[in-house]
Amino acid sequence: METRVDEIADKIYRLCTLIPGANGAPGFTFNQFLIDADEPLLFHTGMRSLFASVSAAAGKVIDLKRLRWITYSHAEADECGSLNDWLAAAPQATAAQGRFGCAIWLNDQALRPPRALADNEVLDLGGKRVRHLSTPHVPHAVDASLLYEETTGTLFSSDLFTQLGDSPALTDKDIIEPAIAAEKAYGFTSLTPKTGPTIRRLAALAPRTIAVMHGASIAGAGTVPTLEALAGYYEDQLRQAMAG
Ligand SMILES: [Fe+2]
Ligand SMILES: [Fe+2]
């Protein structure tokens, strides 16, 4: 198993492991993101089975003992399955999640007491600043939240824009069509009246980079239209479901 390391924005690193699908299926990339700052932060831990490879890759960027924060979108194996392996390897690290996420999962599961974050609360990492965005059911799960790094304008979008198969770290190609194809294949996004408005809230941040958990990340002028197109897709889906 190989975990590739690419810098996708200033001192923001994508740790990427391709898991092939069974019987020739395209599989997925599983990406974690490491923000190197005075207080380094990891967004998504990956599954326990990936810990050896992903932690070795992270160790090429920082001394793991410096890792200060570990956070994730929602309670699932690829988001936080290896959380306690990371907490054991990084004695100064604290897990952080929204208040609801702490209440329903993290308070019980983390080796050490976590830090509960409010919507829009900012953690000053020293050189980087991350804003916690509470986004229930976007992409899915009631504890869902996303992260926005303000100095680089990097939005960490978790499962939004999931693309099948291998991918480059960054692309300037359209990711909407592949993302809709993956959505049609797996139906992983919770469709509620708040799906579209929540994604439009992300677009209003005007991110310069979108760091995608499964697939290529994107940077540049296409980020806002891409978010608006995704919001429009889900709004259409909801209208069709209501009409049907
Ligand atoms: Fe997920
Ligand atoms: Fe995921």
Side-chain angles (χ1 to χ4, degrees):
M1 193 174 295
E2 181 200 359
T3 299
R4 308 190 300 259
V5 180
D6 289 279
E7 188 175 9
I8 62 160
D10 180 46
K11 293 190 172 180
I12 296 181
Y13 298 86
R14 176 196 195 242
L15 314 176
C16 174
T17 311
L18 175 66
I19 307 289
N23 302 319
F28 290 97
T29 53
F30 287 82
N31 304 318
Q32 301 77 39
F33 294 96
L34 180 62
I35 302 175
D36 187 9
D38 292 347
E39 298 187 4
L41 179 146
L42 181 72
F43 188 64
H44 318 298
T45 69
M47 300 82 86
R48 288 190 297 158
S49 59
L50 296 188
F51 177 71
S53 182
V54 175
S55 60
K60 294 177 186 168
V61 179
I62 63 163
D63 178 348
L64 290 190
K65 299 222 170 348
R66 287 183 54 227
L67 186 64
R68 179 66 184 85
W69 298 102
I70 302 170
T71 187
Y72 58 89
S73 172
H74 48 276
E76 270 176 4
D78 61 348
E79 295 275 357
C80 50
S82 60
L83 172 68
N84 284 333
D85 295 307
W86 288 93
L87 289 174
Q92 295 186 53
T94 298
Q97 210 337 355
R99 289 171 179 161
F100 206 83
C102 288
I104 67 169
W105 195 82
L106 194 54
N107 286 337
D108 182 65
Q109 293 292 314
L111 276 178
R112 295 192 285 278
R115 165 82 174 265
L117 299 170
D119 187 28
N120 276 319
E121 186 170 346
V122 171
L123 286 178
D124 188 340
L125 306 180
K128 295 282 186 285
R129 290 167 52 86
V130 291
R131 182 176 295 273
H132 172 83
L133 306 171
S134 177
T135 59
H137 302 294
V138 177
H140 44 241
V142 67
D143 57 334
S145 57
L146 299 173
L147 197 68
Y148 184 62
E149 201 290 305
E150 296 182 336
T151 72
T152 58
T154 301
L155 172 68
F156 298 87
S157 70
S158 179
D159 298 319
L160 293 178
F161 301 111
T162 287
Q163 307 141 53
L164 305 182
D166 202 1
S167 62
L170 272 172
T171 186
D172 54 9
K173 295 199 174 95
D174 170 43
I175 63 168
I176 277 290
E177 286 307 318
I180 290 174
E183 178 66 49
K184 286 179 175 169
Y186 291 96
F188 52 81
T189 303
S190 299
L191 190 61
T192 79
K194 291 188 175 173
T195 311
T198 300
I199 297 173
R200 291 191 189 280
R201 175 189 174 197
L202 306 175
L205 295 168
R208 299 194 289 278
T209 299
I210 302 176
V212 175
M213 186 184 202
H214 310 283
S217 298
I218 64 167
T223 53
V224 171
T226 299
L227 282 160
E228 287 173 345
L230 191 69
Y233 170 74
Y234 288 122
E235 286 161 353
D236 282 347
Q237 293 296 110
L238 186 63
R239 266 193 293 271
Q240 288 173 28
M242 298 294 286

